[in-house]
Amino acid sequence: MANVVTRFAPSPTGYLHLGHAHAALFAEREARSQGGTFLLRIEDIDRTRCRPEFETAIREDLTWLGLKWTGEVRRQSDHLHAYRDLVAMLNGMGLIYPCFCTRADIASAGNAPQGPDGPIYPGTCRALTHEARAKRIAGGNAYALRLDMAKAIAQTGRLTWRDLDAGEVVATPEEFGDVVLARKDTPTSYHLSVTHDDHLQSITLVTRGEDLRAATHVHRVLQALLGYPTPDYRFHPLLTDANGRRLAKRDHAETLRSLRDSGKTPAEVRALAGFS
Ligand code: GLU
C-alpha cells in the first residue's frame, strides 16, 4: 500500500487550544499507525489576522506535546504567486469572474438561500458585461474572483470522494454556489490554497474536523478542474467545553500554553485532548 501522508494545517491567528491538539494528534495517529508521514502546514493567507509569533508558538506547543512532523513546514504566504497562477489558469478556462459586491450588498440582495458557508452568492456580478467589469476595475473598485460553479460542474460532471468512515460520497458543490477563489485582500482563498497544498504536499489522507466536512465538496470540484488526484478523507468530532459549546479561539478556549503553565504535563494534555 502507498505511504500514507497526513497533515495538520492550523492558521496562526492565536494560541492553540485542546481542539487543535486533538486535530494534530488525530492526523499524526492516522499517519503513524500505518507507518506513514505527518506534515505541518501554516495556513496564513489572512494577513490581517495571522501573526509570526503565533506560528512560533504553534511549533513550540506541538513540540512540547511530543508531535514530530517530517521535513520543512509549508507556509502559504510564501506561495501567493502560485495561487495567483492557478486563478489565472481557471480564468483561462472561462470559469472565473470578478465580484465587486460587499458583504452588505450580498445580505441586502434578500432571501439568498443559505449554503454550508453562509448565504449563497446571488450571482449579481456574474451577469455584468465585459465593459461594465472593465469600467469598475479601471475605477479602482476592489473585487474578489469567484468560481462560476454551474460552469465548473458542467465541465467536471459527477464527482465522488471517499470518506474512510462513511464510504463513497457524491460531491454536491452546487450547494455552495459561486465560491470566492481570490479574496479582495489576498490573491487566494481557503478553498483554493488548501486544495493546491494538499496536492503539492502529496497528502493521501486529509483529516479535518466535522466543521470542515462540507468544504470537501468544493475541494473536490477544484481537484477535478486542476487535474489533481483526490485524497481520502477522515473527519474527527470537535471538542466541546463543559456547556457543550465547541472550543474556539474567539471564545478564549483555554490554550495549551496556559495548561502547560498551570503545571500539566504533555501526557496529561494529550489525555485531555482525547489521546491517552
Ligand atoms: N486551516 C484550517 C483550519 O485551521 C484547516 C485546514 C483543513 O483541514 O482544511 O481550520
Side-chain angles (χ1 to χ4, degrees), residues 83 85-87 89-90 93 95 156 181 191-193 195-197 199 219-229:
Y83 308 127
D85 290 349
L86 293 178
V87 174
M89 183 179 126
L90 293 168
M93 293 161 73
L95 298 174
T156 65
L181 291 190
H191 294 308
L192 184 69
S193 42
T195 303
H196 179 63
D197 287 11
H199 167 62
H219 305 168
R220 182 65 190 90
V221 92
L222 292 175
Q223 287 157 6
L225 295 172
L226 297 168
Y228 296 165

Side-chain angles (χ1 to χ4, degrees), residues 5 18 21 38 43 70 89-90 115 162 187 237 243:
V5 186
L18 284 173
F38 169 66
E43 302 215 326
T70 300
M89 183 179 126
L90 293 168
R162 193 153 72 114
N243 302 316

Side-chain angles (χ1 to χ4, degrees), residues 118 198 208:
D198 282 337
R208 57 167 64 119

Side-chain angles (χ1 to χ4, degrees), residues 255-267:
T255 62
L256 301 184
R257 323 215 113 197
S258 62
L259 289 164
R260 177 170 78 184
D261 291 345
S262 73
K264 293 256 186 298
T265 64

Side-chain angles (χ1 to χ4, degrees), residues 171-234:
T172 52
E174 61 277 9
E175 288 172 12
F176 281 78
D178 295 352
V179 291
V180 168
L181 291 190
R183 293 168 15 178
K184 286 181 181 172
D185 57 347
T186 186
T188 184
S189 63
Y190 159 65
H191 294 308
L192 184 69
S193 42
V194 81
T195 303
H196 179 63
D197 287 11
D198 282 337
H199 167 62
L200 259 194
Q201 293 191 290
S202 305
I203 303 300
T204 64
L205 171 61
V206 171
T207 64
R208 57 167 64 119
E210 282 292 349
D211 57 331
L212 290 173
R213 173 189 287 273
T216 307
H217 294 282
V218 175
H219 305 168
R220 182 65 190 90
V221 92
L222 292 175
Q223 287 157 6
L225 295 172
L226 297 168
Y228 296 165
T230 304
D232 288 335
Y233 291 86
R234 175 162 270 161

Side-chain angles (χ1 to χ4, degrees), residues 76-94:
Q76 292 189 326
S77 61
D78 292 339
H79 302 279
L80 296 181
H81 58 279
Y83 308 127
R84 221 179 250 123
D85 290 349
L86 293 178
V87 174
M89 183 179 126
L90 293 168
N91 189 36
M93 293 161 73

